[in-house]
Amino acid sequence: MKGRWRLFRHEAGMEAGPPPVAYVALYCACILIGFWSARTFDAIVIWPTNGVMLAALLQLHRRQAIWTVAVCFAINLASNMWRGDPMPFLIVNPVMNLFQVLLAALLVRRVGGAALDLRRPQRLVAVAVLAILPAVALSALIMVSLAATIREYSLPVYIFTLQRYFGMELLGLLIVTPALLLMARAHRFRGIARASRLEVAALMSLLVLVTTGVFTQNIAPLLFLIFPAIVLIAFRLSPPWVAASIMIIAVIGAIGSLSGQGPVMMTRLLEIPGLDSVQDLQRRLSLYYLFLLVVIMTAVPLSTLMSERRRLMDRLEARTLAAQAARRQAEQSAATKGRFLALMSHEMRTPLHSVVGYAEVLGRRSDIKADARRQADLIQDAGNSLLVLVEDVLEVSRGTDTLCLGRAHLPELLAQAVAPCREIAELKGLTLRLEVEPGARLPIRTDAKRLRQAVHKLVDNAVKFTRVGHVLVQASREGDAVTLTVSDTGCGIDLAILPDVFDPFFQSDDSICRDHVGAGLGLAVARQLIERLGGRITVESRTGHGSCFTITLPLPAFEMDLESIETEVVATRDVPPRVLVVDDHAGNREVARLMLAPTGAEIAEARDGLEAVEMAKTQAFDLILMDVRMPRMDGLAATRAIRALGGPSGLVPILAVTADAMPEDAERCLAAGMNGHLAKPITHTTLYAAIDQVIGGVEATPDAEAA
């Protein structure tokens, strides 16, 4: 048969259990024990031969199983002839045994699965109730009905014979077959039992002693004493040991009962008409069958439940260890990713600092030709575009990080976000307007850098895709919510791709002939920044009718007077300020010196933190521009050393000018005692704004870098 109704084991199944000869030898032993029991006590307690034959049929492959079953059938037939069984029982008895085994095997394959994994309690119960029980019941009904017809049993005798035959055959299958299957698959239970060899020996010895004591006395019905021992074995040992324990109980109980000892022989028989011809021993064996059945129903399910529980606990422990290892690996990967991003940010910003800085210095010179100035401006624009791309990639890769909340003025913040796009808008003939309603002019608490960056992305996107018309930025307040809109009269967005515009690297036109450049990160970065601030961003657009991006943010206003938060104006100095530029790269020191030259400041230079500390000890400075990554002594250690000098030298304002631009880098600078943080590359505008912030005494935050 095919599918789940197969009779024989699949040829690809792993071999386990004893060889065919062992099954035949065990079958012969069971036959001989049956002969001895019948001749000695004129009764057979349990018929285990069918259990052996069923186990062989289930365990062996097709050819070996057929050969083994055929030999067992021949032995059964020969034994009946030797015993002198009359016809037709000489033939019917072996045939019905074979029928019972084949039917049981077919049903076991159907309900137990191809692997016959009896570790699961529900599968074990299914095999016992849906396979073995029906097969024994049907064969017993046929056999006893045939015997009743030939020998003319009375109804009481028929019923008694049926239940005795059923119990004898059922217990033979329930005890022997699961025991042999479990022992053959003992490797499945390896490591499940927690007991040592000494404990196994002690528990099995206890069971033998208790069972022997119960079935070798005629003083009291002490069958209940066996249950604590078998339950303890079920809790501590694996199912194969439990199966062996049940076989031990069955053998000792059978010998004791047949010898006329034990609780079974103390049973008081009821007076049932029609059973006068039945031996008292055979009637008392019904209690023995019931006892064994209860033992099996108690110990085997309990043992499989415990083994399943231990297996699940082991699996849970293994998965917990795997999850912890995965978590450690993820944390290590996150730390590695963080170090990689910080390193890439530093290494890409360092050359960009020279490119953008020198280009801006050249562009501001009055002694160069117009063509050279235009070329310098182009270099600066290309450098700025590359910087934006670098920042966008880092922002998308970085994911969530700590917000740097501080006080901000929305009109100024929006003006800073719009300013870089005004020149491009003017070149394209566009009108770029900023409208802030009075209710939105109150100071707010937010991460100004991220909000400014998000708005700038939207404005830059609007200017890029608008050829004629205008770009309008509006801000309004309703309660504690601030609404920012960026609308344009550009080409608009097709409704089909509108849901995807905020995906990283998405572009409405990614062909090689597209009109616009970019990596497709602007809108993705804007959404990520806004969501990190606790807000949401939406878009309404239609092809040919422009687009409108709306930002909604929970930004409660500060309850204070506007005059109390005005930025202090730095007092005009009669004496030019003295500035110490600390950087290990000569080109970076030159860029800073050239940018500070228009202020008339007196510039001193140091190549590392150690030189900076020595100069701070002997000279007075109004400002120190401090790099962070330097040989001999880094900027953080140098700042701490300068702060430890005490007096005026230890109070000098220190501005970090570094390519370490991650938020945690800014926090480390402030924690070391610096007054502000400015990320490279820098321009005149960003440098002067950061210096005004530091010298003017504005509250230092990780967002100290200018727009």
Side-chain angles (χ1 to χ4, degrees), residues 212-535:
T212 303
V214 169
F215 282 98
T216 56
Q217 55 84 36
N218 293 318
I219 300 175
L222 302 177
L223 285 176
F224 61 89
L225 292 180
I226 297 177
F227 285 94
I230 192 66
V231 168
L232 186 59
I233 290 176
F235 268 103
R236 296 297 299 165
L237 306 184
S238 62
W241 284 108
V242 174
S245 301
I246 295 175
M247 294 183 69
I248 291 174
I249 294 174
V251 171
I252 296 176
I255 294 174
S257 298
L258 292 176
S259 301
Q261 295 177 330
V264 173
M265 301 310 297
M266 299 172 61
T267 306
R268 181 180 178 182
L269 297 176
L270 298 176
E271 294 294 336
I272 301 177
L275 294 182
D276 299 334
S277 60
V278 179
Q279 297 179 5
D280 291 345
L281 174 61
Q282 293 182 350
R283 293 184 59 187
R284 286 189 173 95
L285 286 178
S286 298
L287 175 63
Y288 176 72
Y289 294 153
L290 181 61
F291 163 71
L292 283 183
L293 187 60
V294 173
V295 169
I296 294 172
M297 293 174 59
T298 301
V300 177
L302 181 60
S303 176
T304 54
L305 282 173
M306 292 304 301
S307 65
E308 181 73 1
R309 178 177 178 271
R310 296 188 192 107
R311 187 179 65 85
L312 293 177
M313 290 179 63
D314 291 342
R315 180 180 295 181
L316 177 61
E317 182 179 358
R319 291 186 176 180
T320 300
L321 294 176
Q324 292 174 348
R327 179 181 178 182
R328 289 192 296 269
Q329 184 178 1
E331 291 174 348
Q332 184 178 1
S333 300
T336 303
K337 175 185 175 183
R339 291 193 296 270
F340 172 78
L341 292 175
L343 179 63
M344 288 300 99
S345 175
H346 180 275
E347 295 304 317
M348 288 186 284
R349 286 175 181 272
T350 298
L352 280 176
H353 175 64
S354 297
V355 173
V356 175
Y358 278 119
E360 186 183 12
V361 170
L362 286 174
R364 288 175 176 269
R365 292 181 56 172
S366 58
D367 58 342
I368 63 173
K369 297 181 180 180
D371 289 345
R373 179 176 290 105
R374 184 179 63 83
Q375 293 166 0
D377 292 341
L378 291 175
I379 294 174
Q380 185 178 4
D381 291 341
N384 288 330
S385 299
L386 181 57
L387 175 61
V388 170
L389 178 59
V390 169
E391 290 180 339
D392 288 349
V393 172
L394 292 176
E395 191 71 39
V396 171
S397 303
R398 186 162 56 226
T400 59
D401 51 26
T402 305
L403 294 176
C404 303
L405 300 178
R407 188 176 64 238
H409 298 85
L410 194 57
E412 296 178 8
L413 186 151
L414 295 178
Q416 294 170 356
V418 171
C421 301
R422 287 197 178 278
E423 184 175 357
I424 300 177
E426 292 175 358
L427 292 175
K428 297 179 69 173
L430 304 176
T431 301
L432 179 56
R433 299 200 314 271
L434 173 61
E435 298 179 359
V436 182
E437 296 183 1
R441 295 181 179 275
L442 294 174
I444 57 176
R445 180 175 178 80
T446 187
D447 189 323
K449 175 183 176 181
R450 286 177 172 80
L451 181 55
R452 182 172 59 244
Q453 186 178 358
V455 176
H456 171 69
K457 297 296 181 186
L458 297 181
V459 176
D460 180 66
N461 187 76
V463 172
K464 179 191 299 185
F465 290 97
T466 303
R467 295 184 178 181
V468 294
H470 66 271
V471 175
L472 177 61
V473 181
Q474 295 176 301
S476 61
R477 173 182 291 279
E478 184 175 350
D480 290 338
V482 171
T483 301
L484 306 175
T485 60
V486 179
S487 57
D488 61 68
T489 58
C491 59
I493 305 173
D494 190 345
L495 292 177
I497 63 174
L498 198 60
D500 303 323
V501 295
F502 292 107
D503 294 342
F505 305 104
F506 176 81
Q507 295 174 340
S508 59
D509 181 9
D510 57 359
S511 63
I512 60 175
C513 58
R514 58 193 175 110
D515 295 334
H516 309 287
V517 297
L521 287 173
L523 295 181
V525 171
R527 183 180 67 173
Q528 183 171 305
L529 293 170
I530 294 302
E531 290 179 350
R532 203 177 305 170
L533 292 171

Side-chain angles (χ1 to χ4, degrees), residues 568-571 573 577-579 596 622-625 652-655 675-676 687-698:
E568 297 180 9
V569 180
V570 180
R573 292 177 175 267
R578 299 192 75 243
V579 180
L596 291 172
D622 299 301
L623 175 67
I624 297 179
L625 303 182
V652 58
I654 301 177
L655 174 64
N675 301 88
L687 178 61
Y688 292 168
I691 291 175
D692 286 343
Q693 223 174 12
V694 170
I695 297 180
V698 176

Side-chain angles (χ1 to χ4, degrees), residues 452-690:
R452 182 172 59 244
Q453 186 178 358
V455 176
H456 171 69
K457 297 296 181 186
L458 297 181
V459 176
D460 180 66
N461 187 76
V463 172
K464 179 191 299 185
F465 290 97
T466 303
R467 295 184 178 181
V468 294
H470 66 271
V471 175
L472 177 61
V473 181
Q474 295 176 301
S476 61
R477 173 182 291 279
E478 184 175 350
D480 290 338
V482 171
T483 301
L484 306 175
T485 60
V486 179
S487 57
D488 61 68
T489 58
C491 59
I493 305 173
D494 190 345
L495 292 177
I497 63 174
L498 198 60
D500 303 323
V501 295
F502 292 107
D503 294 342
F505 305 104
F506 176 81
Q507 295 174 340
S508 59
D509 181 9
D510 57 359
S511 63
I512 60 175
C513 58
R514 58 193 175 110
D515 295 334
H516 309 287
V517 297
L521 287 173
L523 295 181
V525 171
R527 183 180 67 173
Q528 183 171 305
L529 293 170
I530 294 302
E531 290 179 350
R532 203 177 305 170
L533 292 171
R536 61 186 180 90
I537 181 171
T538 59
V539 58
E540 295 180 3
S541 183
R542 194 172 50 168
T543 304
H545 292 77
S547 304
C548 180
F549 290 85
T550 302
I551 297 174
T552 304
L553 283 168
L555 296 175
F558 278 110
E559 296 296 335
M560 57 177 64
D561 297 333
L562 289 176
E563 295 180 359
S564 64
I565 58 172
E566 290 181 352
T567 306
E568 297 180 9
V569 180
V570 180
T572 304
R573 292 177 175 267
D574 296 331
V575 180
R578 299 192 75 243
V579 180
L580 174 61
V581 178
V582 187
D583 201 304
D584 58 321
H585 291 285
N588 293 344
R589 298 196 300 272
E590 183 180 2
V591 169
R593 178 171 52 79
L594 292 174
M595 288 187 175
L596 291 172
T599 66
E602 181 181 343
I603 309 297
E605 298 181 9
R607 291 173 295 181
D608 54 48
L610 197 59
E611 288 188 6
V613 174
E614 294 300 324
M615 295 178 69
K617 290 180 181 178
T618 58
Q619 303 179 43
F621 294 101
D622 299 301
L623 175 67
I624 297 179
L625 303 182
M626 182 75 72
D627 190 18
V628 172
R629 294 178 183 262
M630 294 180 293
R632 296 205 299 172
M633 179 182 286
D634 60 66
L636 301 178
T639 299
R640 286 190 285 264
I642 293 174
R643 294 296 183 230
L645 295 176
S649 298
L651 299 177
V652 58
I654 301 177
L655 174 64
V657 183
T658 173
D660 292 338
M662 308 292 276
E664 55 270 22
D665 298 324
E667 292 176 0
R668 282 196 294 267
C669 292
L670 297 179
M674 298 184 184
N675 301 88
H677 175 271
L678 179 62
K680 295 177 181 177
I682 62 175
T683 63
H684 283 81
T685 303
T686 58
L687 178 61
Y688 292 168

